[in-house]
Amino acid sequence: MITSITRHRTSALIFSFFLLLSLSAFAQAPQYEVSGKVTDEQGTPLEYATISFQSTGDPSNVTGGITDGQGNFNIDVRQGTYNITIEFISFEPKTFKNRQVNKDLNMGAVKLGMAAGELEEVVVTAETTQVEVRLDKKIYNIGKDLTTAGGTVADALNNVPSVSVDIEGGISLRGNENVRILINGKPSAMAGFGNTDVLSQLPADAIERVEVITSPSARYDAEGTAGILNIILKKEKTLGLNGSVSARVGDPDQVGLSANVNLRKDKFNIFNTTGFRYFDAPGKAFSDTRYLEYTNEEGELIDPTSERLVEDRRMDRLNRNFYTSLGMEYYITDMSSITATGFYRYGEDEDITNNRSTEYTEEGILKTLRTENQIEDDNSYQFALNYINKFNDSGHQLTADIQYERDEETQTGDINESIVSNTTKLDPFYPLEQTFTEETQNEFLLQADYVRPIGENAQFEAGYRGSFEEEVTDYQLLLENRENGVLELSPLTNVFTYTENVNSLYSQYGNKFGDFSFLLGLRLENTQLKGKIDSDLTEEELREEFKIPIDTDFDNNYLGLFPTVNLIYELNEQENITLGYNRRINRPRGWFINPFPSRASRTNIFQGNPNLEPAYSDAFDLGYLKRWDKLTLTSSVYYQYETDSFERVEQISTATDSTQVIRTIPINLATTARIGAEAGVLYNPTRWLRLNGSVNFFQFDTDGDYNGVDYSAKNTSWYGRFSSKVSLPAKIDWQTNAFYRGASEGAQTETDGLFMVDMALSKELFNEKASLTLNIQDLLNSRKRESFTVTERFERESEFQWRQRSIILSFTYRFNQQRRDQERQNREGRDMNGGMGDEGGDF
């Protein structure tokens, strides 16, 4: 398969040959020179753009030519009146009607905008970001965001409208944390098997674009009630050897080196991304808990064993990781290709956590120091094969994918808690603890998709996806025996095996009638969730230990239909309205269902709930887009109704040593209704100033109870972001990003608002082949979560900061490519892989 650009060059040359023959037939008539220059909207010349002249008197009389390497054209045209059309692949053509050619004509600079695409695509282009609005997604090109230079994928996502990344790295979409993360349209080891921590290790400069899919079509997995974030990695289509190398240093201690290299020949395309990163991520946490009197089940008023507990935690996290991704696309024929890719990541973490506790009782004060040393090694592998066969150039194609992933993680921990001072009558014993965790995850993916255009505007699509995953967690806990000081195996030692198998079939159909387009789909999914706990404790003993019923061997099957409807109506070329409906599922998995608790704190722990059942949601989304010359507005209102929604609740219990332990447990509540509105503005008043802002208001209304406690709550909150980019003299860019998340309120916890600012300066060097960027993340060091929790048995004030302000200096060198040329090539490659319901599946 040759690239679309190569095909376009060939067709343009053939077209020019026949045009020259036509010109020779009219050599005896007066001729004049028509000249000009064709560029994209950023001024980048478009080589091999086609200029055609169709006579208004005789439509069969067509002549023309193509542009040179600088986008210029000079064409001799017979005297007459013509409709002049200028075209280039993936760009909207421009037609100048009834132009008289009776003398030499200079048309000046003609700028072409990105194409509106196939059935469903509308494109908006701006300097700081690029937005493509399709029937089922919004696509953001974040490659020129200076504040992510030297940063990570998580940093880049935090600058995407509708997306927010909390201080622990958790990702939410429109305030909803149940987001499905895909890499190149598929679940991937690079996304950490659902654990988003790995996204804080991959470099942001490996991303080409992010697809925000709030109304997914039937082609996508139904997982994720909030929607889908599809991260598309870079892969060049440019012929020859090209790429970039980046180096970064920073404070707190940070150093990194990465490279993106691409070799494109006629029959194959080889691409590689490799990087190493070393960084320190200090953080801290503080909590002040006051215990309250409460009434027990017999109606008696009970005094707490402690009055107050203050914990001050300091975390020092040292991380080293290496990753590499290598792929080759081989073009079997002009219409078919096969792509093989491999990914490997090795991570090594050394974490030291010091937790200073002060416990106040009626008798006095007890102060302790709990130190946890944790070492973690992580190996992730991924191998994938992709086959594509195009039956023609109009989108009729078949694709097939096979993917295997494996993640091996080992974690050892030593926990030592000592008494600093004690003025109470208590004589507590805090045994030495040693933990060993070995976690293995395997996932196998099969997928096939068939696309068949019907006529000029209609398209049918069908496919199958099978995902088969097994996760085994082998956990060992050794506790010191008070009598002899020997470490002994705790009965909490266990092996937890979790299996998730999902088989799905889908079909969808789209069509366009004038200014109205639609995409209708239906997905059938069968989900099998299996879990087995191998422990010395019986189900009754587990229930007593964890305060929840435990099924040590469960096997649940769920069959569901998931319809999708996406509509778009174009009011004019600059304005459209979209409407979407979809049904989604939230499957419990991983640490949310493993009942064995975390050990970071003796008095505040998190434990999963194996009794969780899937949650289902129905969502509606109404969007509006309007473009002016320098201003673009995107907006939407949305509503979602979710049943059996997940909610984290905190409950207090008393351990065998009379310690009061607060457990955080995820549960199924009855319903959650979400309603919200968001708006985004792209404004480019001048060539040197570009502004970008968005705001999202939403309300959650949760209704339900658990164990006789009503957890119903209504929360109204909002968040907004603003970005400005200023082009200064001497090829210097200055960008500032600001983000504010409003206060929120849950069933038990109120969280204060959060404000943060990022700033960056960038200087182009060596004729725009290199960039030097200084990036300050969290300039005010204000990225902290402050909250207040109230239950009938305790009140707690807390503050948490996952990482402090960082300063990063990065240098990027690009070879065999200019910055703007690279961006244009990326856009062209994206359009060549586009189409209704496309997941951007190239790796």
Side-chain angles (χ1 to χ4, degrees):
M1 181 184 72
I2 60 176
T3 65
S4 296
I5 296 176
T6 305
R7 289 198 301 268
H8 188 75
R9 289 180 176 179
T10 304
S11 60
L13 292 172
I14 295 174
F15 179 58
S16 300
F17 173 75
F18 285 105
L19 291 176
L20 290 173
L21 292 180
S22 300
L23 284 171
S24 65
F26 297 95
Q28 71 279 8
Q31 296 188 70
Y32 301 96
E33 182 182 82
V34 180
S35 60
K37 184 173 184 176
V38 182
T39 70
D40 65 10
E41 291 184 343
Q42 280 73 48
T44 304
L46 299 180
E47 183 181 6
Y48 293 101
T50 301
I51 300 90
S52 60
F53 298 79
Q54 184 179 46
S55 173
T56 57
D58 180 9
S60 63
N61 178 11
V62 180
T63 187
I66 59 175
T67 57
D68 60 18
Q70 287 71 48
N72 298 315
F73 62 89
N74 295 276
I75 304 170
D76 291 331
V77 181
R78 181 189 177 196
Q79 179 178 334
T81 302
Y82 297 91
N83 293 328
I84 306 175
T85 301
I86 300 177
E87 299 176 284
F88 188 77
I89 187 171
S90 301
F91 286 75
E92 288 282 4
K94 280 192 176 181
T95 300
F96 303 86
K97 294 186 177 182
N98 299 317
R99 286 295 183 97
Q100 288 189 353
V101 179
N102 51 22
K103 60 180 180 180
D104 289 345
L105 175 63
N106 186 348
M107 300 185 67
V110 180
K111 293 185 176 182
L112 301 183
M114 291 295 293
E118 301 294 335
L119 181 63
E120 75 282 15
E121 182 182 359
V122 178
V123 181
V124 184
T125 304
E127 183 70 14
T128 52
T129 187
Q130 176 172 295
V131 185
E132 299 178 22
V133 181
R134 300 189 179 182
L135 273 169
D136 59 348
K137 71 184 78 172
K138 292 188 179 79
I139 302 174
Y140 295 91
N141 184 345
I142 59 175
K144 299 179 71 174
D145 194 329
L146 301 181
T147 58
T148 65
T152 67
V153 170
D155 298 324
L157 290 177
N158 207 37
N159 290 334
V160 174
S162 304
V163 181
S164 60
V165 182
D166 66 22
I167 57 178
E168 295 175 285
I171 299 171
S172 61
L173 182 58
R174 292 174 169 176
N176 188 348
E177 295 180 351
N178 184 226
V179 184
R180 179 69 159 167
I181 307 294
L182 303 178
I183 303 291
N184 297 319
K186 304 174 184 65
S188 172
M190 284 181 279
F193 291 92
N195 183 351
T196 57
D197 288 347
V198 70
L199 300 180
S200 298
Q201 301 174 18
L202 295 176
D205 55 16
I207 302 177
E208 178 183 324
R209 67 188 188 274
V210 175
E211 299 179 348
V212 178
I213 311 172
T214 54
S215 183
S217 68
R219 185 179 190 186
Y220 295 96
D221 183 5
E223 171 70 28
T225 56
I228 296 171
L229 290 180
N230 187 18
I231 301 169
I232 306 299
L233 303 182
K234 291 179 179 176
K235 185 186 72 171
E236 288 292 323
K237 292 288 186 178
T238 312
L239 289 173
L241 179 67
N242 56 82
S244 63
V245 179
S246 297
R248 68 190 72 88
V249 294
D251 178 66
D253 293 344
Q254 178 177 166
V255 63
L257 184 66
S258 62
N260 293 292
V261 180
N262 194 96
L263 176 62
R264 175 74 167 87
K265 296 295 185 180
D266 288 339
K267 296 292 291 184
F268 63 87
N269 188 19
I270 301 175
F271 42 95
N272 173 257
T273 299
T274 299
F276 169 80
R277 188 169 181 237
Y278 166 93
F279 65 98
D280 187 14
K284 61 182 181 179
F286 174 83
S287 66
D288 186 351
T289 305
R290 297 179 183 272
Y291 300 101
L292 308 175
E293 293 181 336
Y294 68 97
T295 303
N296 64 13
E297 295 179 355
E298 288 75 26
E300 301 173 328
L301 189 63
I302 305 298
D303 291 327
T305 56
S306 298
E307 297 176 349
R308 181 184 177 194
L309 178 66
V310 178
E311 292 184 293
D312 189 359
R313 194 153 40 121
R314 293 291 186 271
M315 300 160 288
D316 189 19
R317 300 181 297 268
L318 191 63
N319 298 270
R320 292 180 290 270
N321 62 76
F322 168 82
Y323 60 91
T324 184
S325 173
L326 177 64
M328 185 181 76
E329 183 176 9
Y330 178 72
Y331 303 98
I332 303 171
T333 68
D334 289 349
M335 305 298 288
S336 64
S337 68
I338 187 168
T339 303
T341 58
F343 171 79
Y344 171 72
R345 183 178 70 89
Y346 173 75
E348 184 178 299
D349 300 343
E350 296 182 18
D351 300 345
I352 299 177
T353 301
N354 290 308
N355 189 359
R356 298 182 181 274
S357 300
T358 303
E359 184 177 358
Y360 298 86
T361 70
E362 293 181 353
E363 302 165 344
I365 299 175
L366 173 63
K367 294 184 178 181
T368 65
L369 172 62
R370 179 184 176 92
T371 300
E372 180 179 6
N373 294 291
Q374 180 176 291
I375 298 176
E376 180 179 316
D377 293 332
D378 189 6
N379 285 275
S380 296
Y381 312 84
Q382 177 179 294
F383 305 97
L385 282 175
N386 167 264
Y387 172 75
I388 180 170
N389 182 70
K390 295 186 176 182
F391 300 99
N392 54 41
D393 291 327
S394 63
H396 185 197
Q397 66 181 36
L398 173 68
T399 60
D401 294 272
I402 301 176
Q403 182 171 291
Y404 172 72
E405 305 170 10
R406 181 177 176 85
D407 182 72
E408 301 171 350
E409 180 180 310
T410 60
Q411 183 183 100
T412 59
D414 293 291
I415 302 174
N416 179 26
E417 187 163 4
S418 58
I419 298 175
V420 178
S421 65
N422 185 7
T423 62
T424 73
K425 296 180 181 180
L426 300 174
D427 183 24
F429 171 67
Y430 305 120
L432 292 175
E433 299 181 25
Q434 284 187 355
T435 62
F436 177 81
T437 305
E438 183 175 0
E439 187 173 274
T440 303
Q441 299 182 65
N442 290 279
E443 184 170 350
F444 189 67
L445 176 72
L446 293 173
Q447 181 174 335
D449 299 284
Y450 175 74
V451 181
R452 176 64 184 266
I454 304 172
E456 294 185 1
N457 295 322
Q459 183 168 290
F460 170 78
E461 185 174 351
Y464 162 80
R465 173 181 284 187
S467 176
F468 312 94
E469 178 182 351
E470 182 183 72
E471 176 183 338
V472 180
T473 303
D474 187 345
Y475 174 77
Q476 294 183 19
L477 172 63
L478 298 173
L479 297 176
E480 180 187 9
N481 186 308
R482 187 171 189 174
E483 301 297 329
N484 54 28
V486 176
L487 291 174
E488 299 177 348
L489 197 65
S490 166
L492 292 179
T493 296
N494 71 95
V495 177
F496 179 58
T497 303
Y498 172 75
T499 303
E500 178 182 296
N501 298 324
V502 181
N503 287 280
S504 56
L505 295 169
Y506 82 92
S507 66
Q508 61 184 22
Y509 173 77
N511 207 335
K512 181 176 182 179
F513 300 97
D515 296 326
F516 175 75
S517 304
F518 68 85
L519 181 60
L520 308 177
L522 183 64
R523 189 176 187 91
L524 174 67
E525 288 195 351
N526 175 255
T527 302
Q528 182 187 41
L529 303 180
K530 298 172 61 177
K532 183 177 181 180
I533 300 174
D534 185 3
S535 169
D536 290 338
L537 298 177
T538 65
E539 290 189 1
E540 186 63 31
E541 290 172 329
L542 288 170
R543 178 189 179 98
E544 179 65 26
E545 175 70 27
F546 299 141
K547 315 304 179 186
I548 56 175
I550 301 292
D551 185 354
T552 58
D553 191 357
F554 62 87
D555 187 348
N556 300 323
N557 274 272
Y558 308 92
L559 184 66
L561 281 173
F562 301 92
T564 62
V565 178
N566 288 288
L567 314 173
I568 186 169
Y569 181 72
E570 297 181 16
L571 301 173
N572 53 58
E573 291 184 358
Q574 308 294 325
E575 190 176 14
N576 67 62
I577 297 174
T578 58
L579 176 64
Y581 161 77
N582 65 88
R583 180 169 172 80
R584 311 284 295 166
I585 185 174
N586 182 7
R587 302 181 183 94
R589 57 185 300 160
W591 69 306
F592 252 49
I593 60 174
N594 190 338
F596 292 88
S598 62
R599 307 292 297 181
S601 171
R602 176 171 46 85
T603 56
N604 290 277
I605 64 175
F606 177 91
Q607 72 177 76
N609 181 2
N611 303 302
L612 280 180
E613 295 186 354
Y616 294 89
S617 73
D618 294 273
F620 300 85
D621 188 295
L622 177 63
Y624 172 74
L625 178 142
K626 173 67 175 177
R627 289 179 290 172
W628 293 269
D629 290 341
K630 298 181 179 180
L631 178 69
T632 299
L633 169 67
T634 59
S635 61
S636 65
V637 293
Y638 53 90
Y639 173 78
Q640 182 186 73
Y641 185 79
E642 185 173 349
T643 58
D644 289 329
S645 59
F646 299 167
E647 180 77 14
R648 301 183 194 186
V649 299
E650 294 183 305
Q651 297 181 330
I652 192 169
S653 61
T654 303
T656 55
D657 61 356
S658 299
T659 301
Q660 297 182 107
V661 179
I662 298 175
R663 300 173 183 266
T664 301
I665 306 173
I667 62 171
N668 287 112
L669 277 183
T671 61
T672 297
R674 299 180 175 91
I675 188 170
E678 61 180 351
V681 174
L682 304 174
Y683 181 45
N684 302 332
T686 66
R687 293 186 61 86
W688 57 269
L689 176 62
R690 292 160 294 277
L691 306 175
N692 180 1
S694 63
V695 63
N696 186 359
F697 289 89
F698 53 89
Q699 181 183 87
F700 292 0
D701 190 354
T702 301
D703 181 19
D705 62 83
Y706 179 73
N707 285 347
V709 179
D710 186 5
Y711 290 102
S712 300
K714 180 178 289 188
N715 170 47
T716 301
S717 187
W718 69 283
Y719 63 82
R721 52 170 49 89
F722 174 79
S723 174
S724 66
K725 185 176 180 182
V726 180
S727 296
L728 302 173
K731 296 184 178 179
I732 296 176
D733 287 335
W734 171 27
Q735 183 171 328
T736 303
N737 286 356
F739 175 81
Y740 178 78
R741 187 190 64 205
S744 61
E745 181 178 351
Q748 296 177 312
T749 301
E750 297 178 2
T751 304
D752 292 342
L754 180 151
F755 177 72
M756 59 177 292
V757 176
D758 299 333
M759 187 175 294
L761 286 171
S762 178
K763 164 70 174 172
E764 291 298 311
L765 303 170
F766 309 132
N767 194 27
E768 297 192 1
K769 292 183 178 179
S771 302
L772 183 65
T773 303
L774 178 65
N775 180 12
I776 305 177
Q777 297 179 349
D778 195 9
L779 178 67
L780 306 178
N781 201 34
S782 57
R783 196 178 184 187
K784 304 173 183 178
R785 181 180 65 211
E786 298 179 351
S787 58
F788 181 63
T789 301
V790 178
T791 74
E792 63 177 8
R793 295 188 58 178
F794 69 90
E795 296 178 350
R796 184 179 64 231
E797 296 182 35
S798 61
E799 178 182 289
F800 183 79
Q801 184 176 22
W802 180 252
R803 66 179 184 182
Q804 65 187 46
R805 174 180 50 231
S806 63
I807 302 174
I808 304 171
L809 181 66
S810 63
F811 176 79
T812 300
Y813 180 77
R814 298 172 288 272
F815 56 91
N816 292 343
Q817 59 182 356
Q818 292 290 331
R819 182 178 62 165
R820 285 181 175 176
D821 288 343
Q822 180 187 18
E823 290 159 3
R824 175 167 61 87
Q825 299 284 359
N826 285 339
R827 292 197 299 267
E828 292 167 358
R830 178 164 63 253
D831 284 333
M832 285 185 286
N833 294 322
M836 183 169 51
D838 177 51
E839 293 185 8
D842 283 349
F843 182 78

